[in-house]
Amino acid sequence: MARFRDRSPGSSGRRSAGRRPGGRGERRQGRRGPRALSAGRLRSAAGSRSLAGQMFLLQVLIVLLIVVAAVVTLLLQARSDRFQAARDRSLAAAEAFAHAPGLVQTLRGPDPSAVLQPLTEEARARGGVDFIVVTDRDGKRYTHPRPDLIGQRFIGTIEPSQRGRVTVESVDGPLGEEVQAVVPVQDDRGTVVGLVSSGIKVSAVSSAFDRQLPVVLGAGIVALALATAGTALVSRRLRRQTHGLGPAEMTRMYEHHDAVLHAVREGVVIVGGDGRVLLANDEAHRLLDLPPDAEGRPVTELGLDPRMAELLASRRVATDEVVPVGDRLLAVNNRPTDRQGGPPGSVATLRDSTELRALAGKAEAARGRLRLLYEASVAIGTTLDVERTAEELTRVAAPGFTDYATVDLSEPVLRGEEPKAGTGGEAPELRRVALNGVRDDHPLYRAGELVTFAAPTPQATGFISGQPVLVPDLGNAAGWRTQDIERTQAVLDYGFHSLITVPLRARGVLMGIANFWRTRDSEPFEEDDLSLAEELAARAAVCIDNARRYTREHAMAVTLQHSLLPRGLPEQNALDIAYRYLPAQAGVGGDWFDVIPLPGGRVALVVGDVVGHGLHAAATMGRLRTAVQNFSTLDLPPDELLGHLDELVGRIDQESSAGDGEAPVAGATCLYAIYDPASGGCALARAGHPLPALVHPDGRVEFLEIPGGPPLGLGGLPFEAAELRLPEGSSLVLYTDGLVEDRKRDIDVGLEILGEALAAPGRAPQETCEAVLAALLPVRQSDDIALLVARTRLLEPDRVAEWEVASDPAAVAGARADVTRQLNRWGMDEAVFTTELILSELITNAIRHGTGPIRVRLLRDRSLICEVSDTSSTSPHLRYAAAEDEGGRGLFLIAQLAERWGTRYTPEGKVIWAEQPLP
């Protein structure tokens, strides 16, 4: 130990004595030996402390086991002693009292209890027992410490004692756990005349345990204290003995430490408190270019850079401080060694960061490109709009990647079509759809302009070849200037100096080009920039092609939808109608409306909605609209018509599920209303559709409470119609849910806004439509909107004539006369003959085949309408009469003379009508 201390750093003379010529590694071993030894000593001390602790725990455990065993043994012995002492004392007391003189005579006396009770209590007190009880031969008590128990039966075993034997037992008596003895009382002849029992509680008997327990615990504490003291002495001895290491262990640790120190790729320099270099490994010699004899010399005399010399000698804390040394940049970490009682001085680590700085710059550029690509993946393609997608590309590219970015597309792409492929060197004609840059006073073509690029230009070259084109210096690119000499010169004068043109191609379709421009404030484009521009353009091209395809499909769906909707309103006098139909911006839906003239001057209003969007919804809407028109020709009430439509939708769903698995139609809604201008009555029924609104002539708005049936296709429940009378000049407003419901607005809020927009008196239907859309139309419409506003009119009383006809063939002549007079008053003399003939046939049929009463009504509207009603539900049928038939030609004549005819059923019966054109 003393020899090794002599080699430790501190005396240069002693350090020189341990050197060998040329033995640099051995010299370092001599200097680093004490540090290795200190580490070994720490490990030995830690091991010794661990061993001493284990010995201490073992001795404590042994002492505790001995103490516990002693206490358990004492407890068992004490319990046994207590039971034996209680047995002996109880038996002695019972024997003594059982053999007392005069006891036999007392038991045979008239009142044993009076004599024996005081005697037993006195004997109990003297004998130190808990009770002495005297009983008769059968166990009936004469005495007891508790007088209230005298006369009761003794608790315990008395059968052996009744035969003359002594019984000793442990029982749970009235006083607790007891040991009691039962002794028989015998007369001179040996006959048992009574019993004496004595007992004592076991807990009342003391034992040696109470006296021995403190001694045992004290001995255990003393033993534990001795074990602790012994362990402390052993631990101290172990720590003292393990301070040293053997030569083999110390040599192995010494060599390992030296190998690690010189193998690391960081320089290590240890400076003493006097400013001299104590140690410098090989990497430190290389990085600082130290002389071979640097160790032992002051830092300031080694010819180091002043900043590096100041840092090593200052002993100040430094963390990754970059210090230039020659052509290197060294990252230096410096820490003092005198912390926590160490020797004065400092230790510094050196790391060459010259290449890391260059790599860090490249990594930062790569991170920037990855970040730009991520932003492009998130920001490009947020909508299915071609122009918006192109604008998103320019916003991502400029100014993050370039100063200006432009997108030029073929005209067919904007319409959703595929552009035709160019031929040979044909110059492409493109429309600039997006432009974004750092300033707005540039000379580039503006967005919206149509540009024809000349063949030698980079734009034409990239579009025709389908390959990107890099122009690092626009000033030296002669082909680019052939486009427009004046404009290109203005572009150069503005400061544009570099260009990348990338074709926008996706799924084999070449749609246009993307141009990236840099001005004098930025570095010219390089080959690395070309790959990034291609990646941006490729992502944008896919999104633009998706938008183009959607535009095409949307246009097709809108065309189909408009072809299935009414192209105009039919002529009628019952209602003043205005409508609005707005398809969704994101995709066409299945909303529809219709205005259908009915016989008798009536008009049917229809509004419906098919759940879903796309071509399927539009086609389904067309099928339902056609079905409603066909059902309306049967002149059915609204509830019956919706019932037939519900059955039709159910059949369509069954066909779809059995076929190619198309989506079901279930969920379609419909509202059907019939307005009669002659009476002002309106019958309405709905299948899951929103409630219609009624605007009274004074401007008051009312949402009509119509019974709500289930949506079409669900089946199972009937539909119910409501009969209302609408004032003249009121407006009936029908709409689909897209008007009042939106993702950002609840339907109740939409209905409230609709009511406020409708609340205006005397407004025309067209004005009502404009006011409603101005209040409710969302910025981004996600669903179709159908709006139908119908203002009611009443047929003037002088245009209606009706009377009742008796159910008698003779009354037909009178009816003809009445019709003739009415037509003459209307100035329709030319229609008298035809009308008389039609009316005669209708009345005759009603008399022959119907039941009375019979009513006739003439209506002068856009046509002359003759109606004959009766209470029969039997409908006439048109047929061809044979030559020998006497009748059957009446309806045939009506069909030939009238423009239209038919039958309409009412709750009271039916109405047969015929229409003639006005003269």
Side-chain angles (χ1 to χ4, degrees):
M1 295 291 291
R3 185 175 62 253
F4 198 87
R5 289 194 187 96
D6 289 342
R7 291 184 178 181
S8 62
S11 172
S12 59
R14 285 194 297 270
R15 185 168 63 249
S16 300
R19 293 181 181 174
R20 284 187 310 183
R24 184 176 180 181
E26 295 179 2
R27 184 170 64 251
R28 287 176 184 141
Q29 285 183 348
R31 286 194 299 271
R32 289 191 298 274
R35 294 178 180 83
L37 181 58
S38 299
R41 287 175 175 175
L42 290 176
R43 285 192 292 272
S44 300
S48 65
R49 287 195 294 271
S50 175
L51 179 60
Q54 292 175 4
M55 291 181 61
F56 173 72
L57 291 177
L58 179 61
Q59 293 187 25
V60 169
L61 182 60
I62 293 173
V63 171
L64 289 178
L65 288 176
I66 293 174
V67 173
V68 169
V71 171
V72 171
T73 302
L74 288 176
L75 284 174
L76 295 176
Q77 184 64 38
R79 179 176 177 84
S80 176
D81 292 346
R82 282 182 175 179
F83 272 94
Q84 185 63 36
R87 180 182 181 279
D88 295 342
R89 190 180 300 180
S90 299
L91 182 59
E95 289 278 1
F97 201 89
H99 295 91
L103 180 60
V104 174
Q105 290 77 13
T106 303
L107 291 175
R108 291 176 175 174
D111 190 5
S113 295
V115 177
L116 296 177
Q117 177 67 14
L119 296 177
T120 58
E121 288 301 299
E122 183 180 359
R124 177 179 68 81
R126 292 182 177 182
V129 294
D130 292 330
F131 66 88
I132 296 177
V133 176
V134 181
T135 68
D136 61 4
R137 190 178 186 280
D138 297 327
K140 180 180 178 180
R141 294 189 182 119
Y142 289 141
T143 65
H144 196 277
R146 291 172 54 184
D148 57 324
L149 299 178
I150 296 174
Q152 297 183 10
R153 182 173 177 79
F154 177 74
I155 299 174
T157 304
I158 62 174
E159 289 78 5
S161 299
Q162 289 175 341
R163 294 191 293 270
R165 293 198 298 270
V166 176
T167 303
V168 179
E169 62 179 348
S170 297
V171 297
D172 290 330
L175 302 178
E177 184 181 9
E178 302 170 335
V179 175
Q180 65 182 14
V182 181
V183 178
V185 179
Q186 298 176 344
D187 58 7
D188 297 337
R189 293 175 293 182
T191 302
V192 177
V193 296
L195 303 174
V196 176
S197 177
S198 175
I200 187 172
K201 291 186 292 184
V202 177
S203 60
V205 180
S206 62
S207 66
F209 175 75
D210 298 334
R211 298 184 300 274
Q212 295 173 352
L213 180 60
V215 177
V216 173
L217 292 179
I221 294 174
V222 172
L224 185 61
L226 292 176
T228 303
T231 303
L233 292 176
V234 172
S235 176
R236 183 179 177 183
R237 181 68 177 271
L238 286 174
R239 285 198 300 269
R240 185 169 60 252
Q241 290 180 351
T242 55
H243 278 173
L245 292 174
E249 290 83 357
M250 190 168 61
T251 301
R252 183 168 58 252
M253 187 177 299
Y254 177 71
E255 293 175 350
H256 179 267
H257 178 78
D258 187 73
V260 170
L261 182 64
H262 291 280
V264 294
R265 292 297 305 276
E266 289 189 357
V268 178
V269 178
I270 300 177
V271 181
D274 56 355
R276 296 177 178 273
V277 177
L278 300 180
L279 183 147
N281 67 350
D282 295 343
E283 186 70 8
H285 276 267
R286 185 183 70 85
L287 295 177
L288 297 177
D289 195 16
L290 296 176
D293 58 346
E295 296 174 356
R297 296 176 56 184
V299 174
T300 56
E301 299 178 1
L302 297 178
L304 297 177
D305 181 86
R307 183 177 173 185
M308 176 62 73
E310 184 272 333
L311 177 60
L312 294 178
S314 64
R315 298 170 56 187
R316 64 181 175 87
V317 176
T319 302
D320 288 337
E321 182 175 333
V322 178
V323 179
V325 176
D327 57 350
R328 296 189 180 98
L329 292 176
L330 301 183
V332 183
N333 290 275
N334 195 46
R335 296 290 187 276
T337 58
D338 54 357
R339 293 180 178 180
Q340 298 179 353
S346 64
V347 56
T349 60
L350 315 173
R351 185 175 67 255
D352 192 351
S353 63
T354 308
E355 297 180 357
L356 293 178
R357 180 64 61 89
L359 292 176
K362 294 182 179 180
E364 182 63 28
R367 281 196 298 268
R369 294 183 179 184
L370 290 176
R371 184 167 54 252
L372 182 64
L373 291 177
Y374 171 75
E375 293 175 358
S377 65
V378 174
I380 299 176
T382 59
T383 65
L384 290 173
D385 183 84
V386 174
E387 294 186 10
R388 285 281 300 276
T389 305
E391 292 172 358
E392 290 168 349
L393 170 61
T394 59
R395 285 198 296 268
V396 169
F401 169 63
T402 182
D403 296 322
Y404 290 85
T406 62
V407 175
D408 306 322
L409 299 176
S410 298
E411 284 287 330
V413 175
L414 302 177
R415 301 190 298 268
E417 304 172 2
E418 289 191 9
K420 63 179 181 178
T423 58
E426 179 181 355
E429 186 178 64
L430 306 175
R431 184 172 297 278
R432 179 148 295 175
V433 296
L435 186 151
N436 188 49
V438 294
R439 293 170 55 184
D440 196 39
D441 57 348
H442 55 81
L444 299 175
Y445 291 107
R446 299 288 171 168
E449 292 188 50
L450 190 63
V451 184
T452 301
F453 291 100
T457 60
Q459 291 88 343
T461 302
F463 185 82
I464 295 173
S465 65
Q467 299 296 325
V469 177
L470 169 63
V471 184
D473 187 1
L474 287 174
N476 295 328
W480 173 70
R481 307 193 62 150
T482 59
Q483 173 68 26
D484 185 341
I485 297 179
E486 295 182 359
R487 181 180 292 272
T488 53
Q489 185 59 45
V491 170
L492 293 174
D493 294 341
Y494 186 82
F496 290 94
H497 63 79
S498 188
L499 168 68
I500 291 180
T501 295
V502 184
L504 297 174
R505 180 190 297 272
R507 303 181 182 95
V509 178
L510 183 60
M511 298 171 289
I513 55 174
N515 303 303
F516 304 97
W517 310 76
R518 282 187 179 176
T519 60
R520 64 172 64 94
D521 298 328
S522 303
E523 295 293 330
F525 284 117
E526 300 176 352
E527 290 294 334
D528 292 342
D529 298 319
L530 188 61
S531 60
L532 179 58
E534 287 184 272
E535 185 67 25
L536 289 173
R539 298 192 181 200
V542 173
C543 297
I544 292 175
D545 188 56
N546 291 337
R548 177 190 66 82
R549 290 170 176 242
Y550 170 78
T551 302
R552 180 184 60 189
E553 295 179 2
H554 182 71
M556 293 171 56
V558 170
T559 302
L560 173 62
Q561 185 184 47
H562 283 288
S563 67
L564 298 174
L565 289 171
R567 301 192 179 186
L569 296 178
E571 296 182 355
Q572 46 82 33
N573 294 332
L575 297 168
D576 183 11
I577 298 177
Y579 69 92
R580 294 290 187 275
Y581 188 88
L582 302 176
Q585 298 178 5
V588 296
D591 293 14
W592 91 92
F593 70 95
D594 217 337
V595 179
I596 305 172
L598 297 178
R602 297 168 302 132
V603 176
L605 302 176
V606 190
V607 173
D609 183 5
V610 176
V611 175
H613 293 82
L615 292 176
H616 177 71
T620 303
M621 174 268 292
R623 299 172 71 177
L624 295 183
R625 177 172 177 257
T626 303
V628 171
Q629 289 180 336
N630 291 336
F631 289 140
S632 66
T633 59
L634 301 177
D635 213 346
L636 300 173
D639 52 342
E640 293 185 20
L641 185 141
L642 290 182
H644 288 294
L645 194 61
D646 182 63
E647 293 179 3
L648 174 63
V649 172
R651 289 196 298 270
I652 293 176
D653 287 344
Q654 291 177 1
E655 294 174 0
S656 299
S657 60
D660 54 1
E662 293 182 358
V665 187
T669 65
C670 182
L671 189 148
Y672 188 81
I674 298 177
Y675 175 70
D676 187 356
S679 63
C682 184
L684 304 95
R686 65 189 182 104
H689 203 78
L691 293 172
L694 179 63
V695 184
H696 292 268
D698 59 357
R700 181 169 54 88
V701 179
E702 175 187 4
F703 287 94
L704 302 179
E705 293 296 333
I706 303 173
L712 300 175
L714 298 182
L717 294 176
F719 297 96
E720 186 178 352
E723 297 283 347
L724 304 172
R725 185 171 182 82
L726 306 183
E728 184 177 11
S730 59
S731 296
L732 186 63
V733 181
L734 310 181
Y735 54 90
T736 56
D737 58 356
L739 178 67
V740 294
E741 191 174 13
D742 188 59
R743 294 178 180 176
K744 300 180 180 179
R745 181 179 60 207
D746 190 68
I747 188 170
D748 294 333
V749 178
L751 290 175
E752 183 179 353
I753 299 174
L754 175 61
E756 295 174 356
L758 293 174
R763 194 157 56 186
Q766 292 288 353
E767 297 175 349
T768 301
C769 290
E770 294 174 1
V772 169
L773 292 181
L776 289 168
L777 188 63
V779 177
R780 179 108 182 130
Q781 183 184 339
S782 60
D783 195 5
D784 290 1
I785 294 177
L787 175 64
L788 191 63
V789 180
R791 186 165 62 180
T792 60
R793 298 171 181 167
L794 289 179
L795 199 61
E796 294 84 349
D798 60 351
R799 289 177 172 267
V800 181
E802 78 181 302
W803 54 89
E804 188 171 334
V805 178
S807 184
D808 185 1
V812 177
R816 284 200 301 266
D818 293 338
V819 169
T820 300
R821 285 192 298 271
Q822 184 63 46
L823 292 178
N824 289 332
R825 282 196 296 269
W826 285 345
M828 302 174 64
D829 299 338
E830 298 177 2
V832 170
F833 175 76
T834 304
T835 305
E836 284 183 350
L837 183 57
I838 292 174
L839 201 59
S840 297
E841 292 297 333
L842 293 179
I843 295 175
T844 301
N845 280 339
I847 293 173
R848 287 182 179 179
H849 306 290
T851 59
I854 300 173
R855 298 191 60 83
V856 176
R857 187 171 74 161
L858 288 181
L859 299 174
R860 182 168 65 91
D861 193 21
R862 288 184 172 270
S863 60
L864 180 61
I865 305 170
C866 300
E867 296 181 348
V868 176
S869 60
D870 57 46
T871 58
S872 173
S873 60
T874 303
S875 177
H877 298 280
L878 179 64
R879 67 185 181 87
Y880 290 94
E884 63 274 9
D885 290 342
E886 295 182 0
R889 298 176 178 85
L891 290 180
F892 181 78
L893 291 174
I894 293 174
Q896 296 299 317
L897 297 174
E899 191 176 49
R900 293 192 307 162
W901 75 279
T903 304
R904 178 171 76 253
Y905 293 96
T906 64
E908 296 81 15
K910 68 176 183 298
V911 176
I912 303 176
W913 55 271
E915 291 186 5
Q916 306 173 63
L918 295 176

